[in-house]
Amino acid sequence: MKSPAKTGQIGNTTEAGYWRSIGEAAGTPEHADWVDHEFPEGAAELPEDFSRRDFLKLMGASAGLAGASMLGVGCRRPEEHIVPFGTEQAQGQDYVHGVPMYFATAMPTRTGAIPLVVESNEGRPTKVEGNPDHPDSNGATDLFAQASILNLYDPDRARKYTKHGSPMSKVDTVQELKKLATDGKKTAFLMPAANSPSRERLIADIAERHGENARFYVHEAIDFGVHQRAATAAFGQSVRPYWKLDQASVILSLDCDFIGTEEESARYIRDFARGRKLAKNNDSMSRLYVMEALMSQTGANADHRLRANASSIATAVKFIAHELGITVDGDVGQPTADQKNWLAECVKDLQAYKGRSLVVAGYRQPEAVHQLIHQINDALGNNGKTVVFLPANDVVYGDLSDLKNDLGKIDRIINLGCNPFYDGAADLNWSDAAKKKTAFRLSDFAQDESHEIFGIVAPRAHYLESWGDARTSDGTLVPVQPLIAPLFDALSELEVLAIFAKPKSPQTAHEVVQSTFAKNFQGQSWEHFLHEGFQKDSATEPVENLQLADKTVKLEGQTLAGDDLE
């Protein structure tokens, strides 16, 4: 930069100097005038009687006003007592600035939970990792758990309580809920899927208190319950499959992305990795066969991958069943010549490792395919070895379609966190009548597809700021322990259900979870449960000597030609 006054070049020793703007470097009159008026008159001069004490008063008042503007939205510790995971503080110390603290908790999922250890810096949750002490997960997490910390600080989160579009307080909201819980009207509770003992207990209390006036519906866009339904139908009792990928030498995945999008993928990733590690010279890796329509993370890790239409999966399962001598009803077409060759070699490999192989199907496949998979694993001697079956909850709730059909039989809907206008089936055509009957809704976001001015809308609490519990895939009980008080004074699902269970004296979510723990584990330490992040020896024992029901599976549908679109 060259100017009549100076060049500003550091290499010129006669004119070397630093400048903070183009105007200063050029020495323009405008810049000189701006400098004179950058601060108000007298800002750089303090009165003669301005003391150090006056300065501290002024700065203290400024800091206080800044803090007051954040009341109700800043990170605060929960009012209930939480227990750290580690021992970073010395005996008697509550907190040391600059030293991170760690707390054991769990992220609830549709069918279970992921045990976690969360790092907290200066009272703010900042990093999520798996709980290495949990006997089933051994520190495993998935991409959803790692990203869940971002939801806590999402600027689009719901922050306000409203009634018919007008703001209201949380206290008034609770009073309105108490009125709804005591007016005797027929109420439908629409809930996301969960595996929480405390929620099940509250639902039972509400059903006992309200009788036929309370109905419960569960809605999820993705149907992960197909695994349990198929196993229950195949064996004639309420069970769910528990895959042991680390004990399988040969794995066949049929449209099943167990490394990516399947539920419990955190555990599957860890178990699959164990089977691929070579600890000794004579160790061998497991082999993975994948047949799928879309490229997935599981397919990317396959030793042998076959791309095929999704409709070809049923055809492939029937071909495998016939190779193993299993009778199948229904005409689903025939595999192509290339598919037959690939499947025939795969079946030979599976038969060579009877009792040490595993065949799995993904949630996108119909229930009949899953039932046939159980028969295939039984023929290969895998049932009870590489796949075991755990007792499952046999309580069945209605779905979104059932709720739509029952709209004429209910007076209102209590929505505990679902967004049916976004992820409900298109053919349901969620109607305006359902909107107007929604008396209360917990919402994750300030504005979403299901947002309406009708009824009461309340912010939904994140799992890192609310109390809860859940059971992991092996049945181990884990706590959902908050690290901070709700940022926007949000409500949790358990708090709403607790009001309907006991309107006159509802329990807090903390009291609900603690009562459930005390009821199921009498004499056990609550503090130790929170510290460890799981209850020792609470896993469910597998069902022994399961026998397949005497039933021939019928497959439906028709495979498409290789070039056809689905």
Side-chain angles (χ1 to χ4, degrees), residues 57-386:
K57 287 181 180 178
L58 180 61
M59 295 306 297
S62 301
L65 291 173
S69 66
M70 293 297 292
L71 286 176
V73 299
C75 290
R76 297 156 292 136
R77 296 184 185 180
E79 297 177 1
E80 296 88 3
H81 182 62
I82 58 178
V83 181
F85 182 76
T87 56
E88 298 83 7
Q89 283 69 41
Q91 187 69 25
Q93 287 182 331
D94 181 43
Y95 178 72
V96 178
H97 287 283
V99 178
M101 297 184 70
Y102 299 86
F103 295 86
T105 186
M107 186 185 84
T109 63
R110 301 174 185 89
T111 60
I114 301 177
L116 302 174
V117 173
V118 182
E119 178 180 337
S120 175
N121 287 276
E122 305 295 337
R124 294 172 174 83
T126 54
K127 186 67 174 74
V128 169
E129 289 295 345
N131 188 340
D133 295 340
H134 189 275
D136 188 41
S137 69
N138 300 119
T141 61
D142 61 11
L143 66 165
F144 300 106
Q146 292 291 335
S148 65
I149 191 75
L150 302 177
N151 293 335
L152 179 64
Y153 303 111
D154 192 336
D156 293 327
R157 283 187 63 187
R159 305 186 181 202
K160 299 177 181 179
Y161 291 85
T162 61
K163 182 178 181 181
H164 304 314
S166 301
M168 66 186 306
S169 67
K170 180 179 180 179
V171 174
D172 293 337
T173 301
V174 172
Q175 294 301 320
E176 290 287 339
L177 286 174
K178 289 181 179 180
K179 293 178 182 178
L180 295 178
T182 55
D183 62 7
K185 291 185 177 180
K186 295 181 179 180
T187 304
F189 294 87
L190 179 61
M191 310 171 292
N195 187 6
S196 168
S198 290
R199 188 174 92 162
E200 293 171 3
R201 182 173 67 84
L202 289 175
I203 289 175
D205 292 344
I206 293 173
E208 181 180 357
R209 175 183 177 84
H210 297 272
E212 294 296 328
N213 287 339
R215 301 188 181 193
F216 301 92
Y217 304 84
V218 171
H219 167 63
E220 285 292 343
I222 299 176
D223 181 19
F224 287 108
V226 65
H227 297 287
Q228 177 178 326
R229 293 197 307 272
T232 299
F235 293 99
Q237 57 179 297
S238 187
V239 293
R240 56 186 175 87
Y242 181 87
W243 302 334
K244 295 187 175 183
L245 298 175
D246 56 330
Q247 299 183 19
S249 298
V250 179
I251 303 168
L252 170 59
S253 169
L254 298 169
D255 194 26
C256 178
D257 185 18
F258 59 80
I259 293 180
T261 58
E262 283 288 333
E263 197 80 338
E264 305 296 338
S265 62
R267 180 175 63 84
Y268 297 148
I269 293 170
R270 180 60 58 90
D271 288 352
F272 178 70
R274 286 196 187 114
R276 307 286 280 190
K277 289 182 179 179
L278 301 177
K280 301 176 183 178
N281 292 334
N282 58 350
D283 284 351
S284 61
M285 291 196 310
S286 63
R287 282 189 298 282
L288 175 62
Y289 294 81
V290 174
M291 183 177 181
E292 61 184 3
L294 301 174
M295 187 63 180
S296 65
Q297 294 187 54
T298 304
N301 285 273
D303 300 293
H304 307 278
R305 179 179 180 269
L306 177 64
R307 188 183 67 174
N309 290 329
S311 59
S312 301
I313 301 299
T315 306
V317 172
K318 183 176 181 179
F319 177 87
I320 296 171
H322 281 167
E323 290 291 304
L324 297 175
I326 301 172
T327 303
V328 183
D329 286 343
D331 181 15
V332 290
Q334 293 294 325
T336 64
D338 290 339
Q339 290 175 349
K340 284 184 178 180
N341 294 334
W342 191 90
L343 291 170
E345 292 299 322
C346 179
V347 171
K348 290 180 182 178
D349 207 1
L350 291 170
Q351 289 178 313
Y353 287 89
K354 284 190 174 182
R356 291 184 294 152
S357 58
L358 179 63
V359 182
V360 296
Y363 65 84
R364 287 181 288 262
Q365 292 302 310
E367 186 175 321
V369 168
H370 287 268
Q371 292 183 38
L372 193 52
I373 291 294
H374 293 307
Q375 295 188 11
I376 291 173
N377 278 320
D378 185 69
L380 292 170
N382 299 332
N383 289 345
K385 296 177 182 177
T386 56

Side-chain angles (χ1 to χ4, degrees), residues 1 5 8 50 54 68 102 132 140 147 167 178 187 189 200 255 293 300 346 363 390 415-416 462 480 491 516 557:
M1 164 66 74
F50 194 83
D54 295 328
Y102 299 86
K178 289 181 179 180
T187 304
F189 294 87
E200 293 171 3
D255 194 26
C346 179
Y363 65 84
L390 304 178
N415 187 336
L416 298 178
H462 190 272
V480 180
L491 277 172
T516 304

Side-chain angles (χ1 to χ4, degrees), residues 417-447:
C418 297
N419 186 359
F421 280 89
Y422 174 70
D423 53 20
D427 55 355
L428 282 179
N429 191 22
W430 194 243
S431 63
D432 290 336
K435 295 180 184 179
K436 296 178 180 179
K437 284 196 174 184
T438 302
F440 175 84
R441 178 171 181 251
L442 285 179
S443 177
D444 290 310
F445 300 101
Q447 293 282 344

